[in-house]
Amino acid sequence: MKRLFFILSLALFHLTFCAAQQGLHINELFEGHIIPQDRLIETRVRGKALAKYRLTFYRSLRFTASAEEVARLRRLVDEDSRGHFATGSERSEKKLASKTYTWHVQLSPQGGMNRFLCYQDIAYNNKKPSEVTVIYMEGTVSGIRQLEEIINKQ
C-alpha cells in the first residue's frame, strides 16, 4: 500500500512540473520536441529555496542549438510574448565575436500565480552552435522589473 501511494505521489509531482508551462508555444521545447532530451541540461526547483525571490516554481533548460533551431525557438518565444509585457535586447561583443539576444516576457497569471518566460541565445561568428538558456518561473512577484530587483539584491 505504501509503495502504491509513493508511486502515485511521484506521478502527481511529475505532472505538476510538466503542466506549468502548458498552453505556451515554448512548451514544445520543454517536452523535448525541438531539442532532444540528451542535449538538454535541465534544472527544476520548487519550494522554500525560491521563497526569498517570491517564486514558487523555476525551470530552466540550457543547451547548444543550430541556427535553424534558434530561429524556431525565437519564433515560439515571439508567439508567446504577443499581447504580454515583454522586453528584449540584442548586443554584440567584438572581443568574443558574439551576439547576445535576450527576451523577458511576463505572461498572463495562471492559478493565482504570475508567470515569466526568459530566453537568451549567444551566437558566435565563428559558426559554433549557439548557447541557449530558457527559463520559466511562477510566483507572487508582481513583475519582471521587481523580480530583477530582488535577484540583484541577493
Side-chain angles (χ1 to χ4, degrees):
M1 184 68 166
K2 287 181 182 180
R3 179 181 270 171
L4 178 61
F5 179 73
F6 176 75
I7 291 171
L8 290 174
S9 298
L10 188 62
L12 181 62
F13 184 69
H14 179 72
L15 288 174
T16 303
F17 275 128
C18 293
Q21 56 286 327
Q22 259 184 341
L24 300 176
H25 293 92
I26 200 69
N27 194 39
E28 285 185 59
L29 173 66
F30 285 98
E31 290 179 346
H33 298 300
I34 298 172
I35 306 295
Q37 292 288 344
D38 62 340
R39 286 179 41 206
L40 299 173
I41 298 171
E42 182 174 12
T43 303
R44 296 182 194 193
V45 182
R46 186 181 287 282
K48 291 180 182 180
L50 296 171
K52 64 183 175 184
Y53 303 106
R54 295 180 51 200
L55 295 172
T56 57
F57 181 67
Y58 172 97
R59 186 175 185 189
S60 72
L61 298 175
R62 288 185 316 133
F63 52 92
T64 57
S66 67
E68 295 80 22
E69 291 167 332
V70 167
R72 182 173 179 192
L73 292 168
R74 286 185 182 188
R75 280 192 305 273
L76 293 174
V77 172
D78 184 54
E79 289 175 22
D80 285 333
S81 68
R82 288 191 190 134
H84 297 100
F85 177 76
T87 61
S89 67
E90 192 168 348
R91 73 173 195 272
S92 297
E93 188 164 328
K94 290 182 183 183
K95 189 183 283 186
L96 297 175
S98 66
K99 187 177 280 189
T100 302
Y101 177 85
T102 305
W103 204 244
H104 300 146
V105 183
Q106 183 169 346
L107 303 160
S108 302
Q110 183 178 37
M113 292 292 164
N114 293 320
R115 304 180 308 150
F116 306 93
L117 177 64
C118 301
Y119 172 89
Q120 180 180 57
D121 67 59
I122 303 171
Y124 297 94
N125 294 339
N126 59 3
K127 308 213 183 211
K128 284 180 18 181
S130 295
E131 295 174 8
V132 180
T133 304
V134 181
I135 301 171
Y136 173 84
M137 297 172 280
E138 292 180 353
T140 59
V141 64
S142 63
I144 292 173
R145 288 191 182 108
Q146 185 183 34
L147 181 59
E148 289 172 351
E149 288 174 14
I150 293 169
I151 290 171
N152 289 334
K153 285 181 184 177
Q154 299 299 324

